Amino acid sequence: MKNFLLIAFDPDDALQGAGFAQSVGGGFDLLLLTGEGSLSLGAEKVMTTNWETIPPADSLATGLLALCQGYGKVAAVSSMRSKDVLARLAGLLDCAMVTDVIAIAGEDQYVRPMVAGSILATVAVRGDQTLFTVRPAGFPTQATDQVSEAEPLDLPVAGKTSRLSESAKKGGRPDLAMAKVVVSGGKPLGDAATFEQVIGGLADKLGGAVGATRAAVDSGIAANELQVGQTGKIVAPDLYIAAGISGSTQHMAGIKDSKLIVAINKDPDAPIFEMADIGLVADLFQAVPELTSKV
């Protein structure tokens, strides 16, 4: 049984997850589900399916079963999609799974957050095979000169679900999970047009990505792929600006690894000020446009 397989949904995923694979040591193989070409990430072997779209979770888990039976450790970057697929795969393999790993504590011991990030648990894993989802902020990818050309891999997939349609917004902004600057807004923005004008305007001036709270997403103000937090994307930018965000534990769990957190809220008692490095008690509709004009 080989040591380690990293599953990446796209090249950005591969770049983020390679740090954990390198930290485990012993060499690793990479499966790239979409995208192609050579990758300088230190993988001993790179496989690609050359898919344009990724199959539903049940179909993908079934397709990965035979390949993953040959690896002691299988990992992917933490996301709603990876947790869906790998949880199903762990059931098929009848093996342990550890989610949201942020550090390696020792041999077969891993640190993961619990209770919306308020507790860090060290989990010891027993068994010949383990699956992981990983928060990449704790595992920076090391530069390597080793280049591996991708080899085509045919994965037969079949499941009970099928995708009827798929849509995604395309734009020039950086990927939310990898951006150095993230500007996020909450439900007080009111509507999608205002959200884009205020939050998107500042993000574009800073060359950053746009994020949103779950409340903003649920109310239709922001797209689902912009959700930041425990049930959304985990981010760790150099600068995180939160405008009109009260600071629920679920949201803070997704941003706590940010190097500098700036909070803008007119409520001086908003919980987010307890974690923010810089706090501005002000109306976001005045403060954010003024910041944008001065950048």
Side-chain angles (χ1 to χ4, degrees):
M1 182 178 288
K2 292 186 177 181
N3 184 40
F4 196 104
L5 174 66
L6 174 64
I7 299 174
F9 291 88
D10 54 46
D12 286 341
D13 231 21
L15 180 61
Q16 293 180 67
F20 178 67
Q22 293 170 351
S23 298
V24 171
F28 70 98
D29 293 345
L30 169 65
L31 172 60
L32 187 62
L33 297 178
T34 61
E36 56 185 7
S38 59
L39 295 171
S40 302
L41 298 176
E44 295 179 351
K45 181 180 180 181
V46 177
M47 299 164 282
T48 179
T49 62
N50 290 321
W51 287 333
E52 293 185 4
T53 59
I54 296 174
D58 63 333
S59 300
L60 181 53
T62 302
L64 290 169
L65 179 59
L67 174 66
C68 293
Q69 284 174 336
Y71 291 90
K73 295 180 175 64
V74 179
V77 172
S78 288
S79 66
M80 289 184 284
R81 180 165 56 179
S82 66
K83 291 176 183 178
D84 191 2
V85 174
L86 264 65
R88 296 170 186 268
L89 184 57
L92 294 173
L93 292 169
D94 192 24
C95 68
M97 179 176 174
V98 185
T99 59
D100 293 327
V101 175
I102 62 172
I104 299 174
E107 185 175 357
D108 294 327
Q109 296 185 25
Y110 306 92
V111 180
R112 65 177 302 272
M114 298 176 63
V115 196
S118 61
I119 297 174
L120 295 180
T122 299
V123 180
V125 183
R126 296 178 180 176
D128 296 329
Q129 193 169 38
T130 310
L131 271 59
F132 306 88
T133 61
V134 182
R135 294 189 180 182
F139 304 95
T141 300
Q142 304 299 318
T144 174
D145 295 328
Q146 182 178 340
V147 179
S148 302
E149 294 293 334
E151 303 174 5
L153 177 68
D154 183 22
L155 281 182
V157 291
K160 296 181 179 179
T161 59
S162 60
R163 181 175 287 108
L164 298 179
S165 64
E166 184 174 14
S167 63
K169 282 190 174 181
K170 301 295 182 182
R173 291 170 182 157
D175 179 79
L176 179 58
M178 298 187 67
K180 297 295 184 183
V181 176
V182 175
V183 182
S184 286
K187 191 175 180 180
L189 272 300
D191 57 71
T194 304
F195 184 93
E196 175 59 28
Q197 179 183 357
V198 177
I199 303 301
L202 179 56
D204 290 341
K205 278 292 189 74
L206 294 172
V210 170
T213 62
R214 179 171 183 172
V217 170
D218 288 347
S219 61
I221 296 172
N224 181 70
E225 60 265 24
L226 301 183
Q227 183 178 326
V228 174
Q230 186 178 22
T231 56
K233 292 186 177 180
I234 308 299
V235 299
D238 294 337
L239 171 62
Y240 186 86
I241 300 177
I245 295 175
S246 62
S248 68
T249 54
Q250 290 80 8
H251 187 79
M252 301 312 292
I255 71 170
K256 67 183 185 64
D257 292 322
S258 303
K259 292 182 180 178
L260 182 69
I261 298 175
V262 177
I264 303 172
N265 200 302
K266 65 180 181 181
D267 179 6
D269 297 320
I272 195 169
F273 287 126
E274 297 180 8
M275 182 177 284
D277 299 290
I278 299 174
L280 176 61
V281 179
D283 187 334
L284 74 90
F285 294 104
Q286 297 177 358
V288 175
E290 185 175 353
L291 284 172
T292 304
S293 68
K294 293 182 180 297
V295 174

